[in-house]
Amino acid sequence: MADEKPAASTRKRRGSGRATIHDVARLAQVGSITVSRYLKQPAQVSTELGARIAAAVAQLHYVPNLVAGGLASTHSRIVGMVIPNISGPIFANTIQSFSDTLSAHGYQLLLASSYFSQEQEESAVRAFLGWSPAALVVTGPFHSKATEKMLAEAQIPVVETWDYRPRRKAIQVGFSNVEVGLQQARYLLDKGYRRIAFVQNSVAGDLSALDRRDGYAQAMAQAGLKPWTFIPTEQAPFDAGRQAFEALALRKKPLEAIIFANDNLAAGALLAGQRAGIAMPDQCALMGFGDYAISPLLLPSLTTIRPPAREIGEIAALRILEALGAVPLDGKHANARLNRLTCEVIARESA
Amino acid sequence: MADEKPAASTRKRRGSGRATIHDVARLAQVGSITVSRYLKQPAQVSTELGARIAAAVAQLHYVPNLVAGGLASTHSRIVGMVIPNISGPIFANTIQSFSDTLSAHGYQLLLASSYFSQEQEESAVRAFLGWSPAALVVTGPFHSKATEKMLAEAQIPVVETWDYRPRRKAIQVGFSNVEVGLQQARYLLDKGYRRIAFVQNSVAGDLSALDRRDGYAQAMAQAGLKPWTFIPTEQAPFDAGRQAFEALALRKKPLEAIIFANDNLAAGALLAGQRAGIAMPDQCALMGFGDYAISPLLLPSLTTIRPPAREIGEIAALRILEALGAVPLDGKHANARLNRLTCEVIARESA
DNA sequence: TTGTAGGCGTTATCAT
DNA sequence: ATGATAACGCCTACAA
């Protein structure tokens, strides 16, 4: 009774060897399509057959073959996400909340990182498309031509996260980096700083930081001030921050305040300032972006911008689930193509 | 009757609408199996046909349907990974290096997080198995019975990471947490501390930390000393650390040194010590586990243990790729079932 | 080196 | 409510 090969055909030449829907159907003495229906919409199957099927499923340890189901129905419960990196301080919360929201509704996450390279993004998108994913999530609006084409032609929901461009076709879940640059500059201008510089990221491909720089430049122009941009050559973020600080704050006529493309650069600058005995923010104010875990712990603690990382992941997942009909449409934000989130200024000691 | 439509036939009732291998074959005027071979092993196809096929692929923007391929071959290039969390400070580097190593060889990562819950792990493993993954990676040796059974019966490589149990069946890539507990206690004993306590994690399910506690207790017993364990009730790690510090270091006869289940707990204690004006390490030494990003920046900087997070991910991927024949077997560690890594004591100021 | 036949496990379609 | 049949797109086995 225990395991006397219930239904598996005796000499399968191919196949996985696992129980199939036909094995279940035979054991439950129903048609296999009824098993399929029972698993998807139990309400459409009579209680009696349902019970027999459930018993057979349990006895055979039946696990539906999602690959076969995907082929037959031409759509899967896989969602692909391409993100610049997994282990950095920025995107981890987005991935986590995205994955959690998806898996709560039976969808699986296929993940790849691009390291801000459009080529890597393109190859990940191509590979993902081979799985007929239910939806695709990418980071930002900057893609290779081929990627754009693939995303446009895929007949599935596509979400662009971590930026906001109302005129693009994909669902947008993010914030305007230009707006953030304005926010940063205005915060410092309101505090009375006038000689304000912006330090870019030495990592090529981080194009969002350039938008923040543009916002900063815009705010400066509106205030009748000259923008001042510095591009570090050092690659490691702490070193790049130090380099920028030395170039901007240790000159004859030092800058009064510096905005950095991210908190790691700012942290490098802050440590350099400590060593040089510069009083911060009095002699030079520093402002970052990202609100990394280290930022509240630095001395002085780092004034920065907190992006809605977790929120981005969750909203992206909800919009996808809504578009797929996996989640009901309620609430006034339901199924919105444009999801404009905002960043928060975290005012601490450094500015 | 033979429809001579080059690409998409006009009235497909099912199907994705994308170009298939047959469309490519027709356009290139070859058999579809030749296209299949060309895509997998170009060397087996003549240069002439290869060129025709390549042209057709490009013209049709053909993307192989991996779902169909997976069904036909009963194995996919998907690898599933279940990890306690994505956004915490511990596992992100493992995920990143694992994903990078896999994707460099054309494999895709299906990811889910368990939050240290065996139920969530089980449901993720079950869902992953539906995709006929090429391999499966889980964290640690502690699984539900059903998970154990599924892993044992899946005819694929299974890797257990972040721990090391030579007698288990799965491929092991990690370190002995008992050994780490010994390391921690011995480091403090060597420094002359005698009254040493261990603070557990308030997060249930982190069973590895209990192994470290056991190692600590073992070392204490060997030194003829009494172990002293504290279990915080506060849930947030910083709060739990503070609570432990107050209970252990601010008593009449305070402990001399405290080992924490992770760096966040230690950081919470350290900040509490600063506020209370306790000199560290002179009045009380603190030691963490994990070497989080904040740890070198604290004052005093935190002495801790650095686990080989990145290495775990990379070696896990390599062992899988070797087992699947995707990577040649060379080097004496090749294809080892037991991969015992070591943790490093990072000696800083706090102990 | 290239081609033919048939099956992988499920679901859509249509019929009862 | 339930079932028979035929795809879904590719790959294995075997043949030429």
Side-chain angles (χ1 to χ4, degrees):
Chain A
M1 291 310 214
D3 266 325
E4 55 173 351
K5 81 172 160 75
S9 47
T10 42
R11 44 173 189 84
K12 277 201 168 130
R13 297 178 315 187
R14 292 165 63 174
S16 57
R18 285 168 21 197
T20 74
I21 205 170
H22 300 296
D23 299 326
V24 174
R26 208 173 307 144
L27 185 59
Q29 303 188 335
V30 298
S32 34
I33 190 64
T34 307
V35 177
S36 174
R37 271 196 282 258
Y38 171 75
L39 294 171
K40 296 233 147 16
Q41 301 160 1
Q44 290 191 11
V45 174
S46 67
T47 341
E48 188 195 332
L49 292 196
R52 293 221 304 266
I53 292 169
V57 164
Q59 184 178 335
L60 297 175
H61 300 297
Y62 170 67
V63 177
N65 184 328
L66 302 176
V67 180
L71 178 59
S73 66
T74 68
H75 57 76
S76 70
R77 291 199 158 209
I78 277 186
V79 176
M81 175 179 238
V82 189
I83 202 130
N85 62 70
I86 300 163
S87 63
I90 291 264
F91 300 111
N93 279 320
T94 298
I95 304 172
Q96 180 81 70
S97 58
F98 184 71
S99 158
D100 290 349
T101 309
L102 279 188
S103 66
H105 294 269
Y107 283 75
Q108 252 51 59
L109 172 64
L110 207 49
L111 188 68
S113 45
S114 69
Y115 291 102
F116 291 110
S117 148
Q118 297 192 352
E119 287 73 33
Q120 290 200 46
E121 182 187 61
E122 179 180 326
S123 98
V125 167
R126 180 170 288 118
F128 286 178
L129 282 176
W131 287 104
S132 306
L136 232 32
V137 177
V138 294
T139 309
F142 307 110
H143 316 294
S144 73
K145 270 200 138 179
T147 305
E148 291 279 3
K149 191 172 173 100
M150 288 189 287
L151 294 179
E153 290 176 355
Q155 304 291 326
I156 54 173
V158 173
V159 180
E160 288 175 348
T161 56
W162 279 89
D163 208 319
Y164 180 87
R165 308 267 163 153
R167 309 186 59 173
R168 287 184 59 83
K169 190 183 170 200
I171 297 170
Q172 304 283 308
V173 182
F175 53 87
S176 157
N177 279 282
V178 172
E179 187 64 39
V180 169
L182 282 164
Q183 250 180 307
Q184 293 179 298
R186 282 176 185 153
Y187 174 85
L188 294 172
L189 289 166
D190 284 352
K191 289 239 164 184
Y193 300 105
R194 286 297 171 269
R195 292 170 49 78
I196 306 173
F198 188 97
V199 174
Q200 293 183 199
N201 197 342
S202 50
V203 173
D206 183 1
L207 302 176
S208 303
L210 301 186
D211 279 353
R212 297 198 288 280
R213 178 204 58 193
D214 291 346
Y216 145 85
Q218 220 171 295
M220 292 293 278
Q222 286 170 8
L225 297 169
K226 206 185 101 198
W228 194 298
T229 300
F230 182 84
I231 306 176
T233 54
E234 295 282 349
Q235 285 304 298
F238 282 25
D239 293 336
R242 177 187 44 68
Q243 183 192 16
F245 189 83
E246 288 169 356
L248 298 170
L250 303 184
R251 54 198 295 155
K252 307 108 254 173
K253 197 171 179 203
L255 276 294
E256 296 169 3
I258 312 177
I259 301 171
F260 293 85
N262 65 55
D263 277 9
N264 276 347
L265 296 170
L270 203 150
L271 297 173
Q274 281 183 341
R275 277 194 296 276
I278 305 290
M280 298 169 287
D282 296 339
Q283 288 181 262
C284 184
L286 305 181
M287 187 170 195
F289 172 83
D291 193 29
Y292 301 172
I294 59 168
S295 303
L297 302 166
L298 295 167
L299 278 175
S301 59
L302 184 64
T303 293
T304 186
I305 297 273
R306 178 181 298 162
R310 184 165 290 275
E311 208 179 351
I312 289 174
E314 186 182 344
I315 295 182
L318 284 177
R319 291 298 162 270
I320 287 172
L321 291 168
E322 287 168 1
L324 298 174
V327 139
L329 294 171
D330 57 0
K332 65 171 184 172
H333 293 299
N335 219 5
R337 197 181 67 73
L338 298 178
N339 301 269
R340 178 172 195 158
L341 312 182
T342 55
C343 292
E344 188 186 354
V345 174
I346 306 295
R348 297 205 184 97
E349 298 164 350
S350 74
Chain B
M1 295 297 274
D3 61 332
E4 294 284 322
K5 310 271 186 194
S9 49
T10 41
R11 48 176 186 82
K12 276 203 171 124
R13 296 177 315 185
R14 292 165 67 174
S16 58
R18 283 169 21 198
T20 74
I21 205 170
H22 300 294
D23 298 326
V24 174
R26 206 175 309 144
L27 185 59
Q29 302 188 333
V30 298
S32 36
I33 189 63
T34 307
V35 176
S36 173
R37 272 197 281 259
Y38 171 76
L39 295 171
K40 296 230 148 15
Q41 301 160 1
Q44 290 189 12
V45 174
S46 66
T47 339
E48 188 194 332
L49 293 196
R52 294 221 303 265
I53 293 169
V57 165
Q59 183 179 333
L60 297 174
H61 301 299
Y62 170 66
V63 176
N65 184 329
L66 302 177
V67 180
L71 178 59
S73 65
T74 68
H75 57 76
S76 69
R77 291 199 158 210
I78 278 186
V79 175
M81 176 180 238
V82 189
I83 203 130
N85 62 69
I86 299 163
S87 63
I90 291 263
F91 300 111
N93 280 318
T94 297
I95 304 171
Q96 180 80 71
S97 57
F98 185 71
S99 158
D100 290 348
T101 309
L102 279 188
S103 68
H105 294 270
Y107 284 76
Q108 252 51 58
L109 172 65
L110 206 50
L111 188 67
S113 44
S114 69
Y115 291 101
F116 291 110
S117 147
Q118 297 192 351
E119 287 71 35
Q120 290 201 48
E121 182 186 62
E122 180 180 325
S123 99
V125 167
R126 179 169 290 117
F128 286 178
L129 282 176
W131 287 104
S132 305
L136 230 34
V137 177
V138 295
T139 308
F142 308 109
H143 317 294
S144 74
K145 270 200 138 181
T147 305
E148 290 280 3
K149 193 175 171 92
M150 288 189 287
L151 295 179
E153 290 176 355
Q155 305 291 326
I156 53 173
V158 173
V159 180
E160 288 176 348
T161 56
W162 278 88
D163 208 319
Y164 180 88
R165 308 266 162 154
R167 310 186 57 174
R168 286 184 60 82
K169 191 183 169 199
I171 297 171
Q172 304 283 307
V173 181
F175 53 86
S176 158
N177 279 281
V178 173
E179 187 64 39
V180 169
L182 283 165
Q183 251 181 306
Q184 293 178 297
R186 283 178 185 153
Y187 174 84
L188 294 173
L189 289 167
D190 285 351
K191 288 238 165 184
Y193 300 105
R194 287 297 172 268
R195 292 171 50 78
I196 307 172
F198 188 98
V199 175
Q200 292 182 202
N201 197 340
S202 50
V203 173
D206 183 0
L207 302 176
S208 302
L210 301 186
D211 279 353
R212 296 198 288 280
R213 178 205 58 191
D214 292 345
Y216 145 84
Q218 219 171 295
M220 293 294 278
Q222 286 170 8
L225 296 169
K226 206 186 100 198
W228 194 298
T229 299
F230 183 84
I231 306 175
T233 54
E234 295 282 349
Q235 286 304 300
F238 282 24
D239 293 336
R242 178 186 44 68
Q243 182 191 17
F245 189 84
E246 289 169 355
L248 298 170
L250 303 184
R251 55 198 295 155
K252 306 108 256 172
K253 196 172 179 204
L255 276 294
E256 297 168 2
I258 311 177
I259 301 171
F260 293 85
N262 65 55
D263 277 8
N264 276 347
L265 296 171
L270 203 149
L271 297 173
Q274 281 183 341
R275 279 194 295 274
I278 306 290
M280 297 168 287
D282 295 340
Q283 288 181 262
C284 185
L286 305 181
M287 187 170 194
F289 172 82
D291 194 28
Y292 300 172
I294 59 167
S295 303
L297 302 165
L298 296 167
L299 277 175
S301 58
L302 184 63
T303 293
T304 187
I305 297 273
R306 177 182 299 161
R310 185 164 289 276
E311 207 181 350
I312 289 174
E314 185 182 344
I315 294 183
L318 285 177
R319 291 296 164 272
I320 287 172
L321 292 168
E322 288 168 1
L324 299 173
V327 140
L329 294 171
D330 57 358
K332 65 170 184 173
H333 292 300
N335 221 5
R337 197 181 67 74
L338 298 178
N339 302 268
R340 177 172 196 156
L341 312 182
T342 55
C343 292
E344 188 185 355
V345 174
I346 306 295
R348 297 204 184 96
E349 297 163 350
S350 74

